[in-house]
Every structure is written in C-alpha cells, then in structure tokens.
Amino acid sequence: MSGAELVEGGYTIEDGIEMAKMLDGKVDIIHVSAGVHEDPDVFVVTHPSMFIEHGCNVYLAAEIKKHVKTPVATLGGLSDPDMMEEIIASGKADIVEIARQSICDPYFPEKAFSGNKDDITRCCRCFTCFYNYLTNRTFCCAFNPVVGNELANKSGFPATTPKKVVVVGGGPGGMEAAITAAQRGHTVSLYEKNDRLGGQLLSEQYIPFKQDMYNFVRVLEGRLNKAGVEIHLNTELTAEQAAALNADVIITAIGAKPIVPPIPGIDSSKVVGLDALHQAEPAVGQKVVILGGGLVGSECAIYLDGLGKDVTVVEMKDDWASDAYFMHKNAMNIYLRDSKVQIHTNTTAKSVTEEGLLCSTADGDLLLKADTILLAAGMKPDRELADSFYNAAPRVFQVGDCIKAGRVLEAVTLGYYRALDI
C-alpha cells in the first residue's frame, strides 16, 4: 500500500494509518510505498529519481508502524547499508526492501553482511533499467553489464591462454575492461593521461544528485587494485609507445573531445568547459549561460541553479534534453518548472561578446548576458587518435566514447564484453 497518495484528492497519511489498522493482524507484512504509479508528478517519488533524497518514503512506514503490530516494510531509493541499519535499529521499520539496487548489484546483501560495503555498486537512479524494460522488455543497467545477459554469463570465462593486455584510457569503459580482463587471468596495464581515473564521471564528484554515479568510480578503482591491474597515471600513451610494450591485446578507451562551436569569441576567457565543475566551488560566475541543452547541459543547469546561480540554457533543437530517457526527463522537468532556470530552444549561438552570448532566434537576435558561458554542446570521438592504435598489437579493440560519444551504459557494457573477447 501507499502510505499516502501524495496527489490532490488522494488519501493522506492519516487515511493510510486507518487502512493499515484495518489490515493489522490479517496479513504477514504491511509493505508501505508512496504515491500513485500513474501520476507523472509522483512517479518519481514512488520510484525515486536521483533528485530526491535516499529513503524518501521511510517516514510513511515509520508513521504507520506506530499504530500496528504487523511487521512493516519500507523502501524508497535505499542503497546504503548503514542507512538501512539505522532504519531498523531506530524502529522506523521492521524490513527494508530494494528493487533497482538489486539490479545494479545483485550481491548487495552478501557484500553488506560480509563487511565489503565499499565494493557495492550503488544504483544512481538513472532509470536505464526502467526505460529498457518498457521499450524492449529487457532489463539492463548502466553499471552492471551482466543484467539482461545472465544466461550467457552463467558460467565463468577463464582465459584459455593468459595474455598481456594494455588498456589506454581510465574512464569507466577502460576501467571495466581492465578489471574484467584481469579477473580472467590476463596481465593488465592501464594508462591514463590525467592524474585521476574516472574520465567524464569525474565531473559528478561535487554534484549532489550524482554522488552514486561518482561512487561508481571509487568502486571501480577498488576493483582495479584488487584485480592486480598495473595503473599508470599522468601517462598519455601514443600508438608508438603502446606498440613498444609488445602487448598481445590493446584496448583503446580514450574517450571523446568537447564539440566547440566555430563562432567568434569562443576562445574568450568567459567560456569554460565541464572541467570547471571538477571542484567544490565551480569556476563560474553568478550569471551562467549554458551552451547546449542536451542531457548534460540540462543536468548542469539543475546543479548550478541549486547553488543559487542565475542559469540560462541555449539549445538549437526544438526541445531540451532530447537525448534523455523520458522518465529521467520527467524528473528533470519537475525540478526545472519550479526553478529559475531559463531555457531557450530553437536558439543558435552566433558569437561570444563582452556582455555574454549573442544568439539567433526566429524573432531575431538575442543577447544573453553572462559572466560565464559553460560549453556543453556535446562530445565527438577523436577517431584519428583512436585509429592510430590499429596496428600497435595483434588484436586491438575500441570501447566507449572513442567509437561514438554516448552513455556510461555503452562504455561499461562494451568494455566488459571486449574483455571477454580476449
């Protein structure tokens, strides 16, 4: 049952308590959720989005538990075993339940019980599983490449002949490939040009609603070390240097480069990339214009609005976040409609000026004043660099954004299965 329906005209927690009292002693468990499944506004509470706090529905179970003797179960974006322990210990509920978290990491209970919580892959509530199930009736997960392919992975895949493997690039795709190859018995070295592993996911470190995604980087780092992968940071490996390592297999996961619109003034100091968000205090001014209103730009707008910035998004298409899963876009829309973020669609950037960004619209030119212009116009693969590795080893694979700029899902999945191909 829902503790409360959370919609106008729906029943309240007081009604929910009375319903639970009528059920008391007649059922084994009273499972308390929230909302009305069919209402888009509360769908993201029934199935918490990343913009809602973990354990958002626990308070409903806690209220009902005060009035019944039947064991009460709670749920709602739970992925932290410490939080679950506190819910039980404090008497808010008798049972905690997980759904998407068990898809993301089926070994969650075992890891929690055995003291290995640092290896738990936490669900980032991106709705990848929901979207794929509703569109093709197959589950998948952005972080778990085995989901939806369990039968093919039922048995282990030991290496028939251990090989020397070199992975170029330490983003999520490269990290997953290195871990999987090492777990299969290969000798693996990973080379990353920056001083940290994580690739594009590093931009999530300071974004509150992306902490579970950034946690994935730390989990992968732990698995790399446990698997015995030799890690080389601050090392930008060229094809010639890679060939000199005499590897049997090279996996290139070099990522993609930001798309920089060829407009006057784009090299201005006002213009910054996503790396401006790689710090606790973003290197942006008070008035921020985000050039690019896709999924990344829209999420950046939500983050900066939450920090109190004056945010405007410029998107040349006729819709914002057109590349987002519709459930995640619904969650973003719920946030944005109550925010101060301004979104201009069908708007094309013409030039960067001293005052801000000059744009072209159907109604004429539009000047958007800005202290900072955040470049989020998309990414493009560096095909020339990726292709240069083709003859550097007997077998060369490519994974992630160096093939086509995409989601974490594609990078992790391809990294995993290319490692199985060795």
Side-chain angles (χ1 to χ4, degrees), residues 293-355:
L295 172 60
V296 173
S298 300
E299 288 183 339
C300 288
I302 291 174
Y303 169 50
L304 294 174
D305 177 75
L307 295 178
K309 304 294 185 182
D310 301 322
V311 184
T312 303
V313 178
V314 173
E315 172 54 48
M316 63 189 302
K317 295 181 180 179
D318 60 4
D319 193 17
W320 59 277
S322 59
D323 54 338
Y325 296 133
F326 65 89
M327 290 178 176
H328 185 59
K329 184 171 181 178
N330 175 56
M332 288 193 291
N333 185 55
I334 291 171
Y335 177 94
L336 287 169
R337 71 188 183 195
D338 295 325
S339 74
K340 297 180 180 179
V341 175
Q342 300 293 316
I343 300 178
H344 295 272
T345 56
N346 293 311
T347 302
T348 304
K350 288 182 65 175
S351 65
V352 177
T353 70
E354 290 186 4
E355 294 182 275

Side-chain angles (χ1 to χ4, degrees), residues 38 66 146 149 204 299 306 371 405:
E38 291 75 19
K66 296 174 183 176
V146 176
N149 293 287
E204 323 292 13
E299 288 183 339
D371 302 315

Side-chain angles (χ1 to χ4, degrees), residues 1-153:
M1 60 174 286
S2 286
E5 289 187 310
L6 307 178
V7 295
E8 186 176 354
Y11 69 76
T12 65
I13 181 59
E14 289 75 20
D15 299 320
I17 289 170
E18 293 305 311
M19 292 167 59
K21 287 162 68 174
M22 288 188 284
L23 293 168
D24 194 21
K26 300 179 177 64
V27 295
D28 297 313
I29 300 171
I30 299 178
H31 163 110
V32 182
S33 183
V36 178
H37 188 280
E38 291 75 19
D39 188 304
D41 277 15
V42 293
F43 180 92
V44 296
V45 179
T46 306
H47 315 279
S49 76
M50 64 175 63
F51 305 108
I52 296 176
E53 69 275 9
H54 292 278
C56 59
N57 298 323
V58 173
Y59 75 100
L60 295 169
E63 285 301 312
I64 286 175
K65 182 170 164 52
K66 296 174 183 176
H67 300 274
V68 299
K69 294 181 180 179
T70 302
V72 173
T74 190
L75 77 174
L78 297 172
S79 62
D80 181 355
D82 291 337
M83 177 181 284
M84 296 179 181
E85 187 72 22
E86 190 278 330
I87 291 169
I88 300 295
S90 63
K92 295 185 180 73
D94 302 290
I95 302 165
V96 291
E97 300 179 344
I98 57 175
R100 283 177 289 174
Q101 176 57 43
S102 64
I103 297 171
C104 187
D105 193 336
Y107 300 101
F108 174 89
E110 178 182 335
K111 292 175 181 178
F113 289 140
S114 61
N116 292 312
K117 68 177 183 180
D118 289 343
D119 189 51
I120 292 172
T121 306
R122 298 189 183 185
C123 170
C124 68
R125 301 180 289 178
C126 64
F127 290 122
T128 295
C129 52
F130 263 105
Y131 174 81
N132 280 273
Y133 184 74
L134 291 176
T135 53
N136 57 34
R137 288 297 185 262
T138 300
F139 276 116
C140 73
C141 175
F143 296 161
N144 186 346
V146 176
V147 169
N149 293 287
E150 289 88 353
L151 185 60
N153 290 274

Side-chain angles (χ1 to χ4, degrees), residues 149-185:
N149 293 287
E150 289 88 353
L151 185 60
N153 290 274
K154 188 175 182 180
S155 302
F157 295 87
T160 52
T161 304
K163 295 181 172 64
K164 182 178 181 180
V165 179
V166 169
V167 179
V168 185
M175 294 169 81
E176 182 67 37
I179 292 164
T180 305
Q183 289 175 340
R184 295 184 60 228

Side-chain angles (χ1 to χ4, degrees), residues 205-224:
Q205 180 175 358
Y206 300 103
I207 300 178
F209 54 85
K210 287 296 189 77
Q211 288 307 291
D212 292 317
M213 188 163 281
Y214 177 67
N215 180 69
F216 185 50
V217 173
R218 292 181 290 179
V219 169
L220 291 179
E221 284 183 298
R223 291 176 186 169
L224 283 169

Side-chain angles (χ1 to χ4, degrees), residues 258-268 271 291 316 348-352 357-358 375 377 380:
I259 294 174
V260 181
I263 60 175
I266 196 66
D267 56 351
S268 166
V271 181
L291 181 50
M316 63 189 302
T348 304
K350 288 182 65 175
S351 65
V352 177
L357 186 66
L358 181 64
L375 193 57
K380 62 179 180 181

